[in-house]
Every structure is written in structure tokens, then in C-alpha cells.
Amino acid sequence: MTGPRLVSILRQGPYLIASIHTALDDSQMTAFQHDLVDRIGRDRARGVVIDVAALDVLDSFATRTLRTIGEVARLRGAVTVVVGIQPEVAFTMVALGMDTGSLHTALDLEEGLALLDRAVGPRRPVTALRGGAA
Amino acid sequence: MEATGCVGRSAAGASDAVAALIPMVRRIVGARVADVTTAEDLVQETLARVLAASGRVEPGMLEPYAIATARNVVATAWREEDRQRRNRHRVVDLTAPDLPEGGLLAEEERSAVAAALARLSERDREALVAHEVSGRDTRSLATDLGSTAGAVAAQLHRARARLRVEYLLARDRTEPPTDRCRPVLFALSSGDRRRQREVDAGRHLLECDVCAALSQPLLERAPQRDDEVRIPIDGDADVVAARQAARELAGRLGCFSPTDLTLIATAVSEVTRNIVKFAGSGEVVVEVLEQPRRGVQVTARDAGPGIPDVERALQDGYSTYAGLGLGLPGARRLMDEFAIASEVGRGTTVTMTRWCADR
């Protein structure tokens, strides 16, 4: 890949923080989905925060991809929170009639991490031991 | 040196004596001239001169004679080189040489123009030749024809547009495959947007490869409009390009809120994705409307398989691929106007508009 990174997936304790930095096309979105699901397994993540604050459009495909990530992550034992949905994007998603279903959302990264702490529970010592090698 | 003693006695002796000088001459020249081949040339020239003079040179003086000759030869070479460098700019010929095929191309060009002129109506041809070749102005032409200057100008404009189309056809030696081609090309050539809409030029260019190729020079000569963007759609990345172009153009109007812009961009994203998914390629045109109200209109067209049941495709949750089934119905909810025309086997055109908020 050339140029600046489109997305970054960083580890923060038992959580993964995935930030999308720029508008992604459908194949890039799908690649992101695969990368993230892959990292959940490798890093034994218990929670995932997806930061979409940089996206100016969340259309049906992007929403569906986020929902798929949430479902797949749940089956893999991780909780997913989408943070940073811009107000006009949120309004458009409602107008479009998109069902965000079981997807957890939070206002920003801080709220997202707090939500994960509540949902996953404070079990950091155990994960820290397990994930120590990574 | 013993060899020098033999000089003058015989030619063979002389050349032997000169041959013995070779290493020394090489050293002298080599010390002054860096380039090996040039140095070797100068060495040879020195030796030739020494050999020629060997009969006249006193025995025993051949070596100093060779040294002096070598120095002179080198000095002459330097002077010559300097002179050439000073005059080098005079050698350059800035006029481009005639291409070997130039004459032939000019001939083809002439015959294409002649063929195109021949296909115009007699009235158009006469007016065009009188104006462009004989330099008659529109007013004097108008008095001749019993018409007004404005009408003559309009006629000339149409004649030129037709001439451009006929020229392109004659140049490529093609005959348009359908009878829709000529009207479409003519509408593009004259830059008449109302006429282009009437003959549905955009759709025809997607369907007809001949016209798509021929129209390139016609479209290029049209002035760049800043109230219209045309985005060719060929893959995933173009979906993003189309929605960003739509947001950019709509944003320039200044009458849309950030939410409106996001609604428009999302709607464009949905309809453009349909092109990529079902037709593979097509085009999206975003243009500013002034009539009947100020707004932005998006036209997404493809020459794909078409939609067999448009009514059903507009229902929520109907999806032929693993989507949310929100593409078309969602886009319809986001825009103020939404129209879809689809014909199985010919393609689909979605036209949607969002009006500026009343102030």
C-alpha cells in the first residue's frame, strides 16, 4: 500500500481501538472488516472501539459492514462500540431508514472505553497476563 | 639514441626512428589531453607530421622536433575546440524537420474537410464558405439572403457544428451505426444542452462505442462549466469520488446545511453503488439547477442489465445482493425529487434533485 494509512488498529489493554482516517470505498471497507476481525483473535481483544469521526458519509454499505463487524466480534467474544458518528451523519442514517440493530454506540472515545469497561468488566489483570507476549 | 643516426638514409630507417618516438609522444599528448580517443588522434597526427618532415630534420634533432610538433598539435586542437564551442549555438537548427508522414496527413485532413463540406446542405455550405473563406460579414450575407444578421449567425453556428461532426466521421471513415448517432453528435457539437437532453445524449454515449469515441473532441472543445461535474463510474473508488464531487458542488451553492450536504452525498453514494454492483460502469452527472428553483440535480446512468421490477426495487428491504435493500428507497427518501427510468437490457437512469432551502 502506498500513501498514508487509511485506518489504524491500535491496542489499548484488552481493547482494540480502530480509527478510520479517511473515506473508504467498499473494498477498503471490506478489507478493514477482515483486518479487524483477524486482530480480535490474534490480540485476544475483549472489546473493540471503532472511531468513525473522520467519515462524512455512512451509507448502507458502511453501516452494514459496521453491523457485520459487531456481530462477528460478538461471536468471537468481543464487544464492539462505534464512536464519533457526526451529527449530520446520524441524521442522514435515520432519514435513510438504516437499522443499526445491536450495534453499541458512544459519543466519543472516552465514553466508548467507559462503555466497554462496564460491558466487559474489570478483568484486566487476567488479560494482561495472557496477552503479555503480544 | 641509435635509431636517430639512421634518419635520412632510407625511408624504412626514418619510419623506424619515428616509431621509436611513439611512447614519448603519447606521454606528451596524454599529459595534456584527457580524452583517450582524442589523444590517440593527436598522437597519430603528430607522428604523421614528424614522418613527413623526417627527411628535412637534422639527425639527432628528430626528438626535440617531435616534442615541439606534439605541443603545437595539441595547442591547435585546443584552439579548434574553443572556436567550435563559441560557435556551437550557430549550428542548432530550431525549425522542426518535416515529418515524413506530414504531407500525407495534411492531404488526409484536406480530403476529410472537403468530404465534410460536401455533406452539408447547399445553403449551409455557401453561407459557411462566404463567411469563413471569403470573409463576408453576417450583415452583408443577411442582406443577400433577405434575412437578419442574427439569423445568419445562428445558421453559421449550426453549420459549423454539423461540419465538425461530418469532419470527424470523414476523418475516421466511419458511418454512424444507428440513426440516433447523428442527432446526438450534432447536439454535443453545437453545445445545445436542451437538445442534448431531448435526444438523451448521455445515455446514447454509454450505449454506442462509436459515438463515445467520436464525441471526445466535441466534449473537449465545450467550455469547462463550473456548475456541472461528470464522473465516469468504473469501480468502488468512483463511488467515493462521485459523492465527494456532489458534496463539493452542492456546497458551493451555499444554500445547503451540512446535514443537507451529507444527505445528498449519501444518496449519491447509494445510486452510484448500484451502477458498480449491477452495471459495472456508467456515469454520474451532478449539475446546478436554476429552474424551476435553485437546487442540485444528480443523474446516474448506466447501460447495464436494467431493473425488471422497478416498483419492487423501490420497496424497503428488497435486495438482490447481500445489501440492506436500502439503496434506491433510501436515496429516494433523502432527496426531494426522485425518478427512475429503466429498461431491461438497455440500462437504468436515476435522476434525483434536492432543492435549496427557502430563505
Side-chain angles (χ1 to χ4, degrees):
Chain A
M1 197 170 73
T2 55
R5 293 180 70 91
L6 306 171
V7 294
S8 58
I9 302 174
L10 303 174
R11 194 170 158 176
Q12 155 82 42
Y15 306 140
L16 288 177
I17 298 177
S19 306
I20 302 175
H21 302 304
T22 181
L24 300 184
D25 66 34
D26 291 4
S27 38
Q28 289 164 340
M29 200 76 194
T30 309
F32 167 66
Q33 173 189 326
H34 289 306
D35 287 352
L36 187 55
V37 171
D38 188 47
R39 281 290 296 272
I40 292 170
R42 257 197 296 144
D43 290 18
R44 311 189 73 82
R46 313 267 329 269
V48 180
V49 180
I50 303 176
D51 181 3
V52 296
L55 295 188
D56 64 338
V57 165
L58 272 174
D59 58 13
S60 61
F61 186 85
T63 310
R64 186 172 69 95
T65 309
L66 290 179
R67 246 171 67 180
T68 307
I69 293 174
E71 279 298 295
V72 173
R74 189 177 65 79
L75 293 172
R76 302 271 279 152
V79 178
T80 304
V81 192
V82 174
V83 304
I85 295 179
Q86 298 299 302
E88 53 272 23
V89 174
F91 188 86
T92 306
M93 289 169 77
V94 175
L96 194 55
M98 254 172 318
D99 177 17
T100 44
S102 51
L103 206 56
H104 295 289
T105 53
L107 186 65
D108 55 18
L109 188 57
E110 193 178 355
E111 296 286 333
L113 287 171
L115 187 146
L116 283 184
D117 277 340
R118 285 196 302 278
V120 174
R123 294 184 54 191
R124 286 188 189 198
V126 180
T127 9
L129 264 177
R130 272 192 200 153
Chain B
M1 262 195 212
E2 270 187 55
T4 46
C6 307
V7 171
R9 251 176 263 160
S10 69
S15 60
D16 281 352
V18 172
L21 295 171
I22 291 177
M24 184 197 66
V25 173
R26 273 213 178 109
R27 214 167 48 241
I28 293 170
V29 175
R32 288 166 173 77
V33 180
D35 183 53
V36 184
T37 44
T38 315
E40 192 53 37
D41 283 350
L42 296 179
V43 168
Q44 296 304 330
E45 190 180 338
T46 307
L47 292 175
R49 286 188 186 193
V50 172
L51 194 59
S54 59
R56 292 179 274 116
V57 178
E58 285 178 38
M61 289 304 284
L62 199 60
E63 190 178 303
Y65 183 84
I67 293 172
T69 308
R71 281 184 186 151
N72 286 341
V73 164
V74 170
T76 310
W78 278 342
R79 261 200 308 278
E80 181 68 12
E81 194 186 23
D82 189 44
R83 199 173 58 82
Q84 279 183 5
R85 193 170 10 206
R86 267 185 290 117
N87 289 313
R88 191 169 295 158
H89 67 277
R90 302 186 185 190
V91 179
V92 182
D93 182 6
L94 288 174
T95 54
D98 284 342
L99 291 172
E101 69 272 30
L104 206 60
L105 285 177
E107 184 51 45
E108 272 184 20
E109 188 90 357
R110 267 195 296 278
S111 66
V113 171
L117 265 174
R119 285 193 219 167
L120 294 186
S121 74
E122 198 172 329
R123 193 165 159 266
D124 280 354
R125 185 168 53 242
E126 273 169 11
L128 209 54
V129 168
H131 185 68
E132 306 285 350
V133 183
S134 314
R136 306 260 318 262
D137 62 2
T138 48
R139 191 166 313 172
S140 71
L141 279 174
T143 39
D144 279 7
L145 295 167
S147 166
T148 65
V152 171
Q155 186 203 343
L156 285 170
H157 177 75
R158 280 195 304 275
R160 277 192 216 104
R162 199 158 278 139
L163 183 68
R164 278 192 289 272
V165 173
E166 297 298 347
Y167 165 75
L168 288 172
L169 290 169
R171 187 199 60 182
D172 291 6
R173 293 202 179 81
T174 42
E175 206 35 49
T178 72
D179 37 324
R180 292 190 59 216
C181 295
R182 248 178 244 267
V184 165
L185 289 172
F186 178 61
L188 291 171
S189 177
S190 62
D192 183 344
R193 279 154 60 83
R194 194 177 54 83
R195 189 86 191 102
Q196 286 171 24
R197 254 193 291 276
E198 277 170 14
V199 296
D200 204 355
R203 155 148 306 282
H204 181 73
L205 291 188
L206 284 179
E207 288 171 349
C208 177
D209 290 340
V210 174
C211 289
L214 283 175
S215 66
Q216 274 313 310
L218 296 176
L219 292 174
E220 276 162 23
R221 62 170 287 288
Q224 276 294 316
R225 306 172 53 94
D226 58 353
D227 60 350
E228 182 187 293
V229 246
R230 184 180 298 269
I231 308 111
I233 304 300
D234 233 359
D236 279 343
D238 299 323
V239 177
V240 177
R243 73 181 183 221
Q244 282 171 346
R247 174 190 287 270
E248 211 261 322
L249 186 72
R252 255 190 277 152
L253 282 182
C255 64
F256 290 117
S257 68
T259 304
D260 288 334
L261 295 178
T262 304
L263 292 175
I264 294 168
T266 308
V268 170
S269 195
E270 299 296 343
V271 294
T272 313
R273 173 170 301 108
N274 278 357
I275 294 181
V276 175
K277 279 255 171 348
F278 298 114
S281 64
E283 68 168 1
V284 170
V285 180
V286 188
E287 57 197 315
V288 172
L289 288 190
E290 298 293 345
Q291 294 295 330
R293 279 170 63 188
R294 208 163 152 74
V296 62
Q297 184 171 65
V298 178
T299 310
R301 50 170 95 73
D302 64 64
I307 305 172
D309 189 346
V310 173
E311 277 309 309
R312 210 157 136 231
L314 284 171
Q315 280 166 23
D316 273 335
Y318 173 76
S319 176
T320 46
Y321 64 104
L324 291 176
L326 279 176
L328 291 178
R332 176 156 73 162
R333 271 195 294 275
L334 297 180
M335 302 295 274
D336 292 325
E337 312 276 343
F338 185 96
I340 179 165
S342 188
E343 201 177 318
V344 173
R346 278 201 64 203
T348 305
T349 303
V350 175
T351 312
M352 48 191 198
T353 313
R354 195 161 169 99
W355 306 115
C356 284
D358 282 323
R359 292 266 155 95

